[in-house]
């Protein structure tokens, strides 16, 4: 778990990193280690550590508290101001040195580099051995226990996660239930996917991001759409491309054949003399576009020959070869 690891180290960013740098580092780790794309046994733990680090460092308030208190920031009461805590820590260290000279001091409270295992040089304390009210009252003059002086309510941070869809799912849209892992455990979300979403498009779940402080609103969760590779359809912009296999005589003589689309079967007319590579357009049968013109679907012709022609087929092909004047090498 990331509890005893430095969160900046987990994300691979310096302590001076901007919010954009933190977000970019997390997204890169998520793309690499998300369990949906990486089946390595350790990938899920790495992804969870990165998610926890991002959840803490992407929230300005939580990041301040983490920077002030270190790995034990969750044990520090909410009423403690980091600036006062830093001054108290310095004063406590000086007092501890004086107490050591007198053979005094109370157990359970440690500051500075002399902290216990895993403290990482941050202030820690044991609530079983000490009265926190007495300590904070003496350190802060009894006037700072009511809240974070000068901070006020802070809105929760916006968060991102990736949503992988097939081309058909993106084409049709609809409701979908997803489960995302976070610091508080797995959460389920009901997502309304609009028809025609494309790779990189974001779906906003209002109020589902990081929690706000002191009654402030929660942030939003943005699902970034990623389209999985598809064996049947290729997407370019809002135009769809699919392969259309034809027999030699269908391509030569022309015909009408069915072609698959994400919303069902359609009919395409093949003109006589169609060659491999020709694109037959079905206008308006591509990706929906809520804000503009719908894309087109292109059926790309691929001519197939019998792998094991019968004697009659061989005879007919031979007769065609004898009488034709067509030279494929010179054709355009």
């Amino acid at each position: 778990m990331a509890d005893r690891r430095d969160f900046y180290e987990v994300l691979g960013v310096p302590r001076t990193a901007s919010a954009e740098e933190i977000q970019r580092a997390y997204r890169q780790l998520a793309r690499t280690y998300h369990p949906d794309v990486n089946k390595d046994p350790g990938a899920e733990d790495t992804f969870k550590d990165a998610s926890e680090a991002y959840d803490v460092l992407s929230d300005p308030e939580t990041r301040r508290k983490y920077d002030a208190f270190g790995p034990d920031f969750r044990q520090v009461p909410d009423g403690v101001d980091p600036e006062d805590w830093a001054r108290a820590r310095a004063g406590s260290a000086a007092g501890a040195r004086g107490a050591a000279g007198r053979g005094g001091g109370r157990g359970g409270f440690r500051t500075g580099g002399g902290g216990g295992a895993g403290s990482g040089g941050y202030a820690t304390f044991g609530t079983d051995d000490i009265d926190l009210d007495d300590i904070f009252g003496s350190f802060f003059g009894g006037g700072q226990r009511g809240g974070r002086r000068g901070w006020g309510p802070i809105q929760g941070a916006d968060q991102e996660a990736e949503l992988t869809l097939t081309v058909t799912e993106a084409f049709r849209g609809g409701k979908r239930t997803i489960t995302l892992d976070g610091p508080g455990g797995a959460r389920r979300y009901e997502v309304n996917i609009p028809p025609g979403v494309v790779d990189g498009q974001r779906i906003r779940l209002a109020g589902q991001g990081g929690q706000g402080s002191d009654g402030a609103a929660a942030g939003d969760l943005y699902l970034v759409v990623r389209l999985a590779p598809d064996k049947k359809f290729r997407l370019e912009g809002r135009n769809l491309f699919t392969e259309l296999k034809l027999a030699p005589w269908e391509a030569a003589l022309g015909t009408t054949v069915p072609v698959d689309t994400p919303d069902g079967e359609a009919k395409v007319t093949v003109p006589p003399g169609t060659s491999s590579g020709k694109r037959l357009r079905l206008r308006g049968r591509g990706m929906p576009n809520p804000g503009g013109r719908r894309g087109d679907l292109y059926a790309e012709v691929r001519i197939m020959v019998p792998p094991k022609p019968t004697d009659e087929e061989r005879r007919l092909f031979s007769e065609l070869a004898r009488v034709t004047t067509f030279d494929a090498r010179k054709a355009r």
Side-chain angles (χ1 to χ4, degrees):
M1 292 298 293
D3 291 83
R4 287 301 175 184
R5 290 186 60 192
D6 185 274
F7 287 145
Y8 293 96
E9 177 186 332
V10 171
L11 295 180
V13 297
R15 303 188 76 83
T16 56
S18 66
E20 291 75 15
E21 290 172 325
I22 288 172
Q23 184 181 80
R24 187 161 54 245
Y26 169 69
R27 291 183 65 181
Q28 183 175 351
L29 289 170
R31 289 194 186 98
T32 303
Y33 294 103
H34 194 285
D36 288 346
V37 297
N38 191 328
K39 303 304 180 184
D40 186 273
E44 183 174 358
D45 288 339
T46 301
F47 174 70
K48 288 181 178 179
D49 286 351
S51 296
E52 181 181 7
Y54 177 70
D55 187 63
V56 171
L57 299 183
S58 64
D59 185 314
E61 179 188 4
T62 310
R63 182 178 179 181
R64 287 192 192 102
K65 192 172 182 181
Y66 177 74
D67 288 344
F69 307 123
D72 297 306
F73 74 103
R74 292 187 177 93
Q75 283 76 49
V76 179
D78 285 342
V80 180
D81 187 286
E83 294 181 3
D84 289 337
W85 178 262
R87 288 195 294 271
R89 199 170 54 168
S92 174
R97 288 194 294 271
R102 297 188 299 271
R106 297 178 65 182
F109 186 82
R110 305 186 300 276
T111 64
S119 68
Y122 294 97
T124 62
F125 51 86
T127 56
D128 292 339
D129 302 323
I130 202 157
D131 188 332
L132 295 178
D133 288 346
D134 288 346
I135 287 181
F136 295 138
S138 62
F139 283 169
F140 306 142
Q144 299 301 322
R145 291 167 51 202
R148 300 172 181 82
R149 183 178 60 195
W151 287 12
I154 299 178
Q155 182 173 347
D158 291 342
Q159 298 175 340
E160 282 191 354
E162 292 193 348
L163 175 62
T164 302
L165 301 173
T166 66
V167 170
T168 299
E169 288 172 333
F171 182 98
R172 295 176 178 174
K175 293 188 180 297
R176 181 171 174 181
T177 301
I178 64 171
T179 302
L180 299 176
D181 290 327
R187 291 186 60 186
R188 291 167 62 87
Y189 301 88
E190 293 292 332
V191 183
N192 186 25
I193 303 169
V197 293
V198 294
D199 195 83
Q201 186 170 336
R202 301 200 306 170
I203 300 173
R204 175 173 172 256
L205 301 183
Q208 299 298 316
Q211 295 300 307
S213 68
D214 296 335
D220 298 331
L221 173 62
Y222 288 91
L223 301 178
V224 182
V225 173
R226 298 298 176 201
L227 295 186
D230 196 291
K231 294 181 179 180
K232 185 173 290 187
F233 300 106
R234 185 176 82 255
L235 184 64
E236 294 181 9
R238 291 194 175 272
N239 292 329
L240 285 170
F241 296 81
T242 190
E243 185 179 69
L244 177 62
K245 296 179 179 180
L246 295 176
W249 48 92
E250 291 176 322
L253 303 176
T255 186
T256 299
V257 294
V259 60
D260 288 334
T261 77
D263 59 351
E265 187 178 273
K267 296 290 186 180
V268 60
T269 298
V270 180
T274 295
S275 298
S276 279
K278 184 177 180 64
R279 291 177 175 177
L280 306 177
R281 184 172 69 169
L282 282 74
R283 189 185 301 273
R285 300 301 294 265
M287 213 46 137
N289 185 3
R293 191 181 73 85
R294 183 169 177 167
D296 299 327
L297 185 140
Y298 290 88
E300 298 179 316
V301 172
R302 182 182 177 191
I303 297 176
M304 312 293 292
V305 300
K308 296 181 179 180
T310 65
D311 291 342
E312 182 63 10
E313 288 172 334
R314 187 181 296 276
R315 185 189 68 79
L316 292 172
F317 277 124
S318 299
E319 180 65 15
L320 176 62
R322 185 182 68 81
V323 301
T324 187
T325 59
F326 176 70
D327 188 341
R329 264 70 63 189
K330 295 180 180 179
R332 292 190 177 186

